[in-house]
Amino acid sequence: LAVLESMDTAAIVRPCDIAKYSLLYVMAMDKNHINTTELGFIMPAVEYYSKQGNTFDRLRSFFYLCRINRRLGNYQEAIIAGTKAKRLAEESGDLYWRAMTASEVGYTFGWDMLSDEEVRSMLEADMLWKEYGDELHIENSMANLALAYSNKAMFKEADSLYAVLNDRYPSKCRYFVLRAQNEICSPCPDRKQAIDWYEKAIPEGEMDVDNYYEYAYALALDGNIFRAKELLRQLEQYP
C-alpha cells in the first residue's frame, strides 16, 4: 500500500495499467483493514476487466465491487457483483476463490437479513474452506456458519458449532460471548449458562459495551435485578 501510494498516478496512462493499479490499490487497502466505501477506487478495474484482460483479474474486480457495495448497504448491487465473481471462480476451478466468493456472498445475504440464503452460502463456504485446508479460514467459516444459523433462529445448530469452537480454541473467549448471545436469543434460554459464558469472557477483555447490556439482560432474566440495575448504571457513562 505504501508503495502504491508513493507512485505518481498521473504517469499511469494506459487503460490496462490504470485497471491494474485500481485493483491492486483496493486489494492493498483491504489487506490493511481499511474498509473503504469509495466505489471510485475499484470502478476502473471493473470497467476494464469486464471487457478484456484475464479471468482472474475480472473475478477479483467483481469480488471487491461486491465487498464495497456491501459496506455501502447497496445489497442488490453487491449480490449482482458477488454472483458474477462466484460464477467466475467456479469456472476457474480455483478453490481459494470459490471459498472466498461463497463467503462474501454469504456476508451480503447476512447484512441484508436474508437468513435462508445466508445459511446456504455459509454452508457452501464452510465445505470449501475445509477442502482448502487452511486452519484460520476453517475457524472463521465455522463461526460464520454458526452466526448464520443463529440469524435463522436455528439456535441448537448454532450452539453445536460454538461448542466445537470453544473446545478447539479454548483461549479465544470471544466464542463464549457469541455462544451466550445465541443462548439468550433462543425461545427457552438457559440463563445461568449464558451468564457463566459472559463471565468467562469478562476477565479476558472480550466484552464490548453491547455485550455488557446483553449480560445485564441475562442477569435480569435470571431474576438478579439488583446486579442488572447496577450494571446498567455503570453503562450509562458510555455513549
Side-chain angles (χ1 to χ4, degrees):
L1 181 60
V3 170
L4 289 167
E5 289 181 335
S6 72
M7 294 174 67
D8 178 10
T9 54
I12 304 172
V13 293
R14 293 193 307 169
C16 60
D17 294 333
I18 293 170
K20 180 64 75 175
Y21 183 92
S22 166
L23 179 56
L24 292 176
Y25 189 70
V26 170
M27 291 175 64
M29 284 195 293
D30 193 65
K31 291 292 185 183
N32 281 277
H33 306 288
I34 299 170
N35 297 329
T36 182
T37 55
E38 179 51 65
L39 281 170
F41 288 136
I42 193 62
M43 287 313 298
V46 173
E47 290 166 359
Y48 181 84
Y49 293 124
S50 294
K51 301 171 185 174
Q52 52 198 312
N54 64 62
T55 300
F56 188 49
D57 287 337
R58 187 176 304 123
L59 185 169
R60 293 188 297 179
S61 65
F62 281 125
F63 174 86
Y64 287 104
L65 179 62
C66 173
R67 179 162 288 185
I68 294 172
N69 269 310
R70 172 168 62 84
R71 291 173 183 149
L72 285 167
N74 300 334
Y75 300 126
Q76 185 173 354
E77 291 86 349
I79 285 298
I80 291 170
T83 301
K84 288 179 180 178
K86 190 170 182 292
R87 185 172 62 248
L88 289 165
E90 289 166 356
E91 289 173 2
S92 74
D94 188 300
L95 184 56
Y96 173 82
W97 280 103
R98 286 174 63 203
M100 284 289 285
T101 54
S103 297
E104 185 61 33
V105 168
Y107 294 142
T108 305
F109 283 133
W111 283 33
D112 201 20
M113 300 184 184
L114 299 172
S115 56
D116 287 342
E117 292 84 351
E118 181 190 13
V119 167
R120 188 161 54 248
S121 294
M122 290 309 184
L123 273 167
E124 181 183 2
D126 186 56
M127 177 191 70
L128 290 167
W129 283 124
K130 284 173 179 170
E131 185 180 350
Y132 184 71
D134 178 79
E135 186 62 30
L136 180 59
H137 281 112
I138 291 170
E139 177 187 349
N140 289 339
S141 71
M142 289 176 64
N144 290 334
L145 180 56
L147 179 59
Y149 279 142
S150 188
N151 288 341
K152 199 183 174 203
M154 298 171 68
F155 301 112
K156 289 183 179 178
E157 290 84 350
D159 185 70
S160 294
L161 279 176
Y162 285 132
V164 173
L165 288 164
N166 276 151
D167 290 341
R168 193 174 293 180
Y169 310 103
S171 64
K172 296 188 177 181
C173 291
R174 183 66 188 165
Y175 293 126
F176 286 118
V177 177
L178 294 171
R179 198 174 184 187
Q181 285 177 328
N182 180 71
E183 186 64 35
I184 63 173
C185 288
S186 63
C188 301
D190 184 333
R191 296 158 293 188
K192 293 187 186 301
Q193 181 63 82
I195 290 167
D196 179 62
W197 284 328
Y198 281 122
E199 290 177 349
K200 283 180 178 177
I202 289 171
E204 305 302 322
E206 290 290 345
M207 299 270 282
D208 60 25
V209 173
D210 284 348
N211 298 145
Y212 277 102
Y213 276 103
E214 295 159 8
Y215 175 45
Y217 174 64
L219 290 168
L221 283 178
D222 197 42
N224 202 328
I225 304 301
F226 177 78
R227 282 184 66 197
K229 286 185 174 179
E230 280 295 304
L231 182 54
L232 290 172
R233 273 194 285 271
Q234 294 176 49
L235 289 168
E236 285 173 359
Q237 302 171 40
Y238 294 88

